[in-house]
Amino acid sequence: MAPVSDGELVYDYSQKKKEEKASGSTLEYDQFLSLLCAEMQYQDPLEPTSNTEYVAQLATFSQLEAMLSMQSTTENSMANELVGKYVILSPTDETTGVTSYVDGKVDYVMYAEDGTVMLSVNGNTYPLDSLDTVADSEYYEAIAMSKSLSNMIAQLPDLENITSNYATAIQQLRDIYDGMTSYQKGYVSDDTLVKLRQYEDKIAELQAQSGADVADNAETETEAETETETA
């Protein structure tokens, strides 16, 4: 209920504007209606509000109602157009206040009873106002592939612990990169490529060493057989 003093409605619009600016909120439909009703209820009988003033306020009320309706229609239309598109969301946890990032494809749009528009992404729902970025499928696919390649390389043992048993896995990583388009390769970080080359060099070194060991063993066996025949 709006505050009343000496039979008059007290409402500090300048203070309200400051509060709105600080909180990021605006005067809502229900608040406006409450103010108008309170003003009519507590007006001074000796100095009643004129019909002209009421008409002006009702006109403002109608404009606000139309504006909110238009805003709701615009939001719903925008949300519907997001279905099937790749987005990045930045929802804030109401308990911890921590903002995280979620990316994925919008599966469907849900309209809550309180009017909140929710987007379904990766099996979870998020409010429309947490939308951060809308991306086309080519961009999203490039980002996803570069991230997957980086994650797979990160799962390999440290360079000093690599053995020749990882030769096939490292070759597969090279094949994945070589199979990317030029656009997709542009999103692979330099660090990822450096690590891949380091693993390839290590495997080549191990295979060369293994080949040298085989050659040495063969030579030793040949020498031993020659000595046996001579004896």
Side-chain angles (χ1 to χ4, degrees), residues 131-153:
L131 180 64
D132 182 88
T133 305
V134 181
D136 63 26
S137 57
E138 185 179 11
Y139 168 81
Y140 184 82
E141 184 178 359
I143 292 296
M145 291 189 69
S146 64
K147 185 185 296 185
S148 295
L149 181 63
S150 177
N151 290 341
M152 286 188 288
I153 291 178

Side-chain angles (χ1 to χ4, degrees), residues 70-228:
M70 182 183 302
Q71 179 182 356
S72 177
T73 301
T74 302
E75 287 184 353
N76 293 349
S77 177
M78 183 182 75
N80 291 337
E81 291 178 356
L82 290 175
V83 175
K85 292 186 177 181
Y86 295 94
V87 299
I88 299 175
L89 306 170
S90 55
T92 300
D93 189 288
E94 296 181 356
T95 303
T96 63
V98 176
T99 298
S100 58
Y101 288 89
V102 177
D103 61 271
K105 184 174 68 174
V106 178
D107 298 316
Y108 60 86
V109 177
M110 183 176 67
Y111 300 94
E113 293 183 358
D114 62 357
T116 303
V117 181
M118 307 294 290
L119 304 177
S120 173
V121 177
N122 300 334
N124 297 312
T125 55
Y126 304 91
L128 178 62
D129 59 12
S130 68
L131 180 64
D132 182 88
T133 305
V134 181
D136 63 26
S137 57
E138 185 179 11
Y139 168 81
Y140 184 82
E141 184 178 359
I143 292 296
M145 291 189 69
S146 64
K147 185 185 296 185
S148 295
L149 181 63
S150 177
N151 290 341
M152 286 188 288
I153 291 178
Q155 291 174 6
L156 292 172
D158 294 336
L159 198 61
E160 58 270 19
N161 295 324
I162 282 291
T163 66
S164 56
N165 293 333
Y166 288 92
T168 301
I170 293 172
Q171 182 58 50
Q172 289 175 343
L173 293 174
R174 167 55 65 177
D175 292 340
I176 290 174
Y177 177 77
D178 290 343
M180 291 181 178
T181 64
S182 299
Y183 178 79
Q184 293 167 345
K185 289 179 179 179
Y187 289 93
V188 178
S189 67
D190 292 338
D191 289 343
T192 298
L193 288 177
V194 168
K195 290 179 180 179
L196 178 58
R197 294 190 186 105
Q198 288 176 339
Y199 281 115
E200 289 176 325
D201 292 342
K202 181 66 173 181
I203 289 297
E205 179 184 337
L206 292 172
Q207 290 177 336
Q209 181 63 44
S210 177
D213 291 342
V214 170
D216 288 343
N217 290 336
E219 183 178 351
T220 300
E221 291 176 358
T222 300
E223 291 177 353
E225 291 174 357
T226 301
E227 291 177 358
T228 300

